[in-house]
Amino acid sequence: MKVLLVHAHPEPQSLNGSLRDFSVKRLEKAGHVVQVSDLYAMQWKATLDAADSTDRRADAHFDPSLDSKRAFENGTQSQDIAREQDKLRWADAVILQFPLWWFSMPAILKGWVERVYAYGFAYGVGEHSDARWGDRYGEGMLAGKRAMLIVTAGGWESHYGPRGINGPIDDILFPIQHGILYYPGFDVLPPFVVYRTSRMDEARFSGVCDALGQRLDDLWKTAPIPFRPQNAGAYRIPELTLRADIAPERSGFAAHIV
Ligand code: FAD
């Protein structure tokens, strides 16, 4: 299988750098083909702006969505964006790997999403009608592919537990897993999270690698998070609220998981 690992850490000798190297080796040893987008090493341009297409008049008003759509349709996207889209088309599975920074992904990775997820590629796809609201949340250009997060966090596991001060990790990662990965169609696997990173030593690192290695070995058989598909009847269209009889006792993020 083909795996794209998108890595966002500025220091190759970091814990994240070690986990990346471990992951690539483990996947390759199992016979998979791996491409790494090492965003800092690539000096990835993190800001979405008018320079992202090659055919804009300098004095034209910049519309982030419509310019993205035009460039995607006309083949005038900046080359770095088109290359990453090709990698996404190529991959059977995509891993986003990053340290948790301010309860989210580092800005460089957010910028990768903003620029690579063009209008017509990751959103604005499919028919909008009384019965459908586009191909998204379980459908879309990346449907049939798997995705997983590898995240490191300074906080303890308990800090991210059901009643932890930081909020549950599933809630913190929901905008990434549901909003960024499930939205364009990925089947999203449960995340691999390493907590309390300041307490890392050789022995613990070895245990982390064992656990991560198992997750990578199981990449093709792990059950995805059962997010509810948008167009399969659970949501009223066009309100896009859950039908009253579906999980009536639940609200918030958890309501969108079967
Ligand atoms: P490193 O600092 O490189 O390493 C961590 C430890 O692992 C070190 O002790 C190192 O010696 C050891 N190590 C590295 N490689 C190996 C190896 N191969 N073998 C054995 N030991 C090794 N945390 C939160 O929980 N929530 C937040 O919202 C949050 N926000 C942050 C915002 C910013 C801007 C920053 C800078 C940090 C934030 N943190 C937060 C902490 C952050 O998540 C952790 O610092 C990060 O996940 C650690 O990953 P790293 O790759 O940078 O680790």
Side-chain angles (χ1 to χ4, degrees):
M1 303 293 249
K2 293 169 284 189
V3 182
L4 171 63
L5 195 159
V6 184
H7 171 79
H9 198 290
E11 171 52 59
Q13 304 298 324
S14 61
L15 176 60
N16 271 270
S18 298
L19 294 174
R20 174 204 52 204
D21 294 346
F22 170 81
S23 299
V24 171
K25 277 200 197 115
R26 182 74 169 228
L27 289 164
E28 287 181 343
K29 201 169 164 208
H32 306 302
V33 183
V34 184
Q35 288 195 68
V36 178
S37 286
D38 184 341
L39 299 184
Y40 282 94
M42 292 157 67
Q43 300 189 306
W44 178 258
K45 171 180 173 285
T47 47
L48 180 160
D49 61 25
D52 289 340
S53 64
T54 55
D55 62 347
R56 275 193 79 256
R57 282 198 344 262
D59 58 345
H61 171 85
F62 175 60
D63 182 311
S65 286
L66 295 180
D67 277 36
S68 164
K69 181 172 194 262
R70 196 202 64 251
F72 178 71
E73 285 173 353
N74 296 347
T76 55
Q77 300 179 110
S78 134
Q79 278 302 305
D80 60 344
I81 294 177
R83 266 195 301 271
E84 295 304 299
Q85 290 168 349
D86 284 344
K87 291 182 196 171
L88 284 171
R89 287 188 193 93
W90 167 87
D92 300 306
V94 175
I95 295 172
L96 304 184
Q97 193 219 336
F98 56 93
L100 195 67
W101 281 0
W102 289 110
F103 303 96
S104 188
M105 49 174 59
I108 198 168
L109 180 54
K110 181 69 171 4
W112 180 89
V113 175
E114 289 175 12
R115 296 183 62 233
V116 175
Y117 271 30
Y119 189 145
F121 180 75
Y123 69 103
V125 179
E127 159 203 332
H128 281 68
S129 67
D130 289 349
R132 302 182 58 80
W133 197 259
D135 295 346
R136 52 177 219 169
Y137 290 121
E139 298 172 295
M141 298 279 265
L142 301 172
K145 299 173 187 292
R146 306 198 128 205
M148 182 175 111
L149 304 182
I150 300 177
V151 185
T152 62
W156 302 13
E157 187 164 3
S158 60
H159 304 175
Y160 291 98
R163 286 165 61 79
I165 180 83
N166 291 342
I169 194 71
D170 288 344
D171 285 4
I172 285 165
L173 298 180
F174 186 89
I176 303 173
Q177 300 192 131
H178 186 260
I180 291 175
L181 295 174
Y182 190 57
Y183 188 106
F186 282 113
D187 288 328
V188 187
L189 307 187
F192 182 82
V193 185
V194 181
Y195 297 98
R196 208 176 178 183
T197 49
S198 62
R199 292 299 174 94
M200 191 61 64
D201 56 22
E202 292 304 324
R204 187 170 168 225
F205 182 74
S206 166
V208 166
C209 287
D210 287 347
L212 175 57
Q214 193 59 55
R215 287 297 310 274
L216 296 172
D217 292 349
D218 293 346
L219 205 53
W220 316 105
K221 54 183 182 202
T222 299
I225 301 169
F227 291 128
R228 298 182 195 280
Q230 175 188 273
N231 293 316
Y235 294 91
R236 297 167 63 217
I237 294 176
E239 295 84 354
L240 297 182
T241 52
L242 274 173
R243 277 189 1 231
D245 57 315
I246 306 243
E249 77 292 353
R250 280 200 257 157
S251 61
F253 295 151
H256 303 290
I257 299 175
V258 176

